[in-house]
Amino acid sequence: MDMTSVLQQVSSEASKMGIDALLVSPGADLRYLTGYDATPLERLTCLVLPSGRDPVLIVPELERLAAYASPAGKRGLDIRAYGEIDDPFGLVADILGPVGVVGVDERMWAKKLLDFQSTLPRTSFTSAGGVIGKFRMVKSHEEIDELRKAAHAIDEVHRRLPDFIRPGRTEMQIARDVGEAILATGHSRVDFVIIGSGPHGASPHHEVSDRVLRQGDSIVVDIGGTMPSGYRSDCTRMYSLGEPQQEFLNRYYVLHDAQSRAVEAVKPGVACGYIDRVARGALAAAGLSEAFIHRTGHGIGLETHEDPYILSGSDVILQPGMAFSVEPGVYFPGEYGMRIEDIVVVTDDGFESLNQVTHDLIEVS
Ligand code: ZN
Ligand code: ZN
């Protein structure tokens, strides 16, 4: 979809939902709508999208050239710059005129929303998340291509992991190598590097520490970055230093099975909650339900966590083009944790798993 038609569709959807105008500040929503990856600053940059009228992008004078050079400028979006002592909130108010309900992007800084509220005292403000999220949640072929490239890049990092993992190295040292590999494989930014060795693996969002790896450790490696396109990767694989204990292996087989069953259940028409139930059911059957302490997955695109969430009870129905993680995990405090994560896209008749790197436990000797 080109920018103009996305903007028109979002605007008309907003109007159907009783929202008279949208205000979108720098972030994934702005990038999605205009292609402009604006720097979030204390100065206001804001897309003004009044229903039934042409959109205007307000930028500080010193961002004018950057905005013109961005896809937003190249596609002819009306860009208006203001000077250091001008009041950009008043400028937006003038563009909007009298307006009843304004939707703001969910990542707008509180300071900016408060300034809009005092500039437009008779206007009521609501979240634009429901409107824009509806569009962002269903990816175009171009977006899926970008997510596929991101997945292949992070797969390549996982293939290099065995070179980085050795007894005597710290999580931090491994993370530094992983960070470099994330950039070397085509990402433009490292978003997160989780190296959970031994008992640290039991904390799902443990990042890194100075813990020294020992023979016999299992290691959770959950890594992701942003590609130049803005689309993101996120993939978890499990490693072990030497041969793991039998109990670990037994649990790993159960998790592996739960993850594949959940992925294979992905198709149009089923609810997100159902995918979660499949993963949870497979773990429960092996007595591991208590150890699975988080949701099964999250949508991914221009943000690492976005709609749809693969959450127990969610009745959001899967549609072709939705992209999300399937990442059940089980955690045993004081011992270890394990998680397997792929990014999956809903196709017309099923699913495509974007990550291709093996799901086997990688034994590093
Ligand atoms: Zn992850
Ligand atoms: Zn994830």
Side-chain angles (χ1 to χ4, degrees), residues 86-115:
D86 297 340
D87 168 24
F89 297 93
L91 190 60
V92 172
D94 288 345
I95 293 170
L96 288 176
V99 64
V101 182
V102 164
V104 299
D105 76 272
E106 290 185 345
R107 303 283 186 273
M108 183 178 281
W109 293 6
K111 172 82 170 77
K112 291 183 175 128
L113 174 57
L114 291 169
D115 285 347

Side-chain angles (χ1 to χ4, degrees), residues 192 222-223 234-236 298 327 339 341:
F192 57 91
D222 184 354
I223 51 181
D234 181 7
C235 181
T236 311
H298 53 82
E327 52 175 312
R339 175 164 72 254
E341 172 178 29

Side-chain angles (χ1 to χ4, degrees), residues 121-329:
R122 278 182 293 276
T123 299
S124 68
F125 288 81
T126 185
S127 166
V131 182
I132 303 172
K134 208 185 249 187
F135 289 85
R136 279 181 51 193
M137 189 157 69
V138 179
K139 269 77 183 172
S140 66
H141 289 295
E142 291 79 13
E143 291 182 281
I144 291 166
D145 272 345
E146 298 302 342
L147 282 170
R148 196 180 287 117
K149 282 181 207 156
H152 291 174
I154 210 71
D155 281 353
E156 186 51 37
V157 180
H158 272 295
R159 289 190 190 99
R160 296 184 191 180
L161 246 304
D163 295 340
F164 307 150
I165 294 176
R166 271 193 308 279
R169 298 198 84 198
T170 65
E171 292 175 355
M172 212 102 77
Q173 286 170 324
I174 296 167
R176 219 164 286 147
D177 290 339
V178 169
E180 277 173 27
I182 288 176
L183 297 175
T185 51
H187 296 86
S188 55
R189 198 177 65 213
V190 179
D191 290 327
F192 57 91
V193 176
I194 296 174
I195 310 284
S197 69
H200 287 173
S203 169
H205 280 169
H206 166 82
E207 290 209 353
V208 291
S209 74
D210 54 8
R211 183 179 183 276
V212 177
L213 269 68
R214 291 194 294 260
Q215 199 62 22
D217 278 347
S218 60
I219 307 122
V220 179
V221 177
D222 184 354
I223 51 181
T226 302
M227 298 294 278
S229 62
Y231 288 83
R232 300 197 177 191
S233 64
D234 181 7
C235 181
T236 311
R237 291 294 185 262
M238 290 297 305
Y239 298 81
S240 93
L241 264 177
E243 219 174 300
Q245 305 277 329
Q246 193 55 47
E247 187 189 46
F248 180 95
L249 277 179
N250 294 343
R251 286 166 166 174
Y252 191 78
Y253 294 141
V254 173
L255 177 67
H256 188 298
D257 176 60
Q259 201 265 353
S260 344
R261 282 172 192 262
V263 168
E264 280 156 22
V266 171
K267 62 177 179 190
V270 307
C272 289
Y274 175 73
I275 305 303
D276 183 87
R277 203 153 71 233
V278 170
R280 219 160 283 282
L283 291 166
L288 294 179
S289 56
E290 306 256 294
F292 182 20
I293 55 175
H294 54 71
R295 65 191 175 210
T296 293
H298 53 82
I300 188 167
L302 291 169
E303 289 179 292
T304 309
H305 288 185
E306 58 181 50
D307 288 325
Y309 291 96
I310 310 302
L311 184 67
S312 173
S314 165
D315 54 10
V316 173
I317 300 296
L318 295 184
Q319 299 172 47
M322 286 181 174
F324 49 85
S325 70
V326 176
E327 52 175 312

